Amino acid sequence: MRIVFMGTPDFAVPSLEALVAAGHEVCGVFCQPDKPVGRHQNKLQPPAVKVCAQSHDIPVFQPTKLRDGTALAQLQELNPELIVVAAYGRILPDDILALPPKGCINVHSSLLPKYRGAAPINWAVVNGDKETGVTIMHMATELDAGDIIDQVKTPIDPDENVEAVHDRLAQLGGELLVKVVADIAAGTAKRTPQDHSQATLAPMLSRALSPIDWSRSAKEIHNQVRGLTPWPATSTDILGDTIKVFAVEEPGIETGKAPGTVIAANKAGIDVACGDGKVIRLTEIQAPGSRRMSAANYLAGHPVTVG
């Protein structure tokens, strides 16, 4: 099929690669503009999808707006049969949704109608879900509310962080996409309306989610750390400075100490009392002005008082 692909970050790359490998004619790629990086913001970094598209000599378009008619004109010139969207980061206006004869489909990293929104993988991990998956759906005006074409599920290991789940879902999304596009071409793709009464939201992440509340259970804190790594990352001031926490363990230790009390600090990590009487062990942290490091390396230069 003649396809326009719209996506921006790493998550979308396996989907684009899968379409190319399957022999589809990807006639154009739309992604968000290059972003400034570096200490002085004087360098521009291209999105991962742009790099991928250029490696296949696919024309790249990076409009700053979708509602001024420019993008629509570009798409009309490209004349795609189908538009495929994967983590593009922009909402398509109705005139673009109506353009391709085979419609617009979206590769979404949750089992819709659960986790509509910007951060579905993070919230699945933060909430301690035991499984997640990828949904490919027909796009509608309302965000992530279109009819479902197909889904694939995958378990979430209780110790996996969001980065591992993200990478697996990205690959599964590419594999499912090729199947769905073949079904669309053959006219056999299904349309299953979502049960909107079961919809939940996955809003954008912010640093307001970072502070650890030690009155919560060890499991809840563990899930918070897993789901917010690497950004915005969890944080705590129990060691004096506000440190970021990137990895923890549940060592199976119980304590009668007050929540937030450091009960041990050694080569294994930094053990902290939680609200349910269990302990969380900090194993990878970052102090202000420093790099990420093991808790053991941190302790070598920062003595910690044990309560």
Side-chain angles (χ1 to χ4, degrees):
M1 295 183 73
R2 184 174 173 86
I3 295 172
V4 162
F5 184 84
M6 296 182 167
T8 300
D10 291 341
F11 177 84
V13 169
S15 289
L16 176 55
E17 291 279 14
L19 290 174
V20 173
H24 295 289
E25 182 189 357
V26 182
C27 55
V29 164
F30 282 64
C31 59
Q32 294 208 39
D34 297 4
K35 286 189 174 181
V37 294
R39 190 169 188 178
H40 303 291
Q41 301 283 286
N42 55 359
K43 293 182 180 180
L44 291 178
Q45 179 173 310
V49 164
K50 178 180 180 179
V51 174
C52 177
Q54 290 176 331
S55 74
H56 293 289
D57 295 322
I58 301 171
V60 176
F61 304 85
Q62 295 176 278
T64 56
K65 297 179 181 178
L66 293 182
R67 299 182 184 275
D68 63 359
T70 303
L72 178 62
Q74 291 168 332
L75 286 164
Q76 289 170 332
E77 182 72 21
L78 291 169
N79 193 29
E81 297 173 79
L82 177 73
I83 291 177
V84 174
V85 180
Y88 181 30
R90 295 187 185 278
I91 296 175
L92 304 192
D94 289 345
D95 54 4
I96 290 179
L97 290 176
L99 175 70
K102 298 291 187 181
C104 300
I105 63 173
N106 178 250
V107 183
H108 184 76
S109 52
S110 82
L111 297 173
L112 291 171
K114 199 170 187 179
Y115 298 127
R116 296 178 180 177
I121 309 175
N122 299 84
W123 287 106
V125 177
V126 167
N127 290 336
D129 289 6
K130 294 182 179 179
E131 73 171 3
T132 185
V134 173
T135 299
I136 298 183
M137 64 176 175
H138 292 283
M139 296 182 70
T141 301
E142 186 181 348
L143 180 66
D144 298 334
D147 293 348
I148 293 170
I149 305 172
D150 206 348
Q151 293 181 321
V152 61
K153 297 180 180 180
T154 184
I156 302 176
D157 185 273
D159 290 320
E160 274 189 306
N161 67 21
V162 72
E163 292 174 299
V165 181
H166 167 281
D167 291 351
R168 186 162 70 256
L169 290 181
Q171 294 299 323
L172 290 172
E175 294 166 10
L176 184 62
L177 177 60
V178 170
K179 174 183 178 297
V180 165
V181 172
D183 289 344
I184 291 173
T188 58
K190 298 178 181 179
R191 293 189 79 119
T192 304
Q194 293 187 43
D195 182 352
H196 301 301
S197 69
Q198 299 300 309
T200 62
L201 299 180
M204 291 182 67
L205 303 179
S206 72
R207 288 188 174 88
L209 300 169
S210 295
I212 296 173
D213 178 358
W214 293 103
S215 68
R216 302 179 77 200
S217 71
K219 179 63 67 180
E220 289 172 321
I221 294 169
H222 188 185
N223 292 341
Q224 179 188 6
V225 174
R226 294 192 302 128
L228 299 183
T229 296
W231 193 91
T234 48
S235 62
T236 182
D237 58 4
I238 58 169
L239 303 181
D241 292 327
T242 298
I243 63 165
K244 293 182 179 180
V245 180
F246 290 99
V248 298
E249 297 174 355
E250 295 179 72
I253 299 171
E254 297 190 357
T255 178
K257 297 287 187 177
T261 302
V262 176
I263 65 169
N266 50 48
K267 290 182 179 181
I270 300 168
D271 291 356
V272 186
C274 302
D276 59 352
K278 295 182 179 179
V279 166
I280 275 288
R281 177 170 292 158
L282 313 186
T283 58
E284 186 179 0
I285 62 179
Q286 183 177 11
S290 184
R291 58 181 176 80
R292 285 172 63 166
M293 65 181 69
S294 68
N297 285 345
Y298 173 84
L299 291 171
H302 301 81
V304 170
T305 302
V306 175

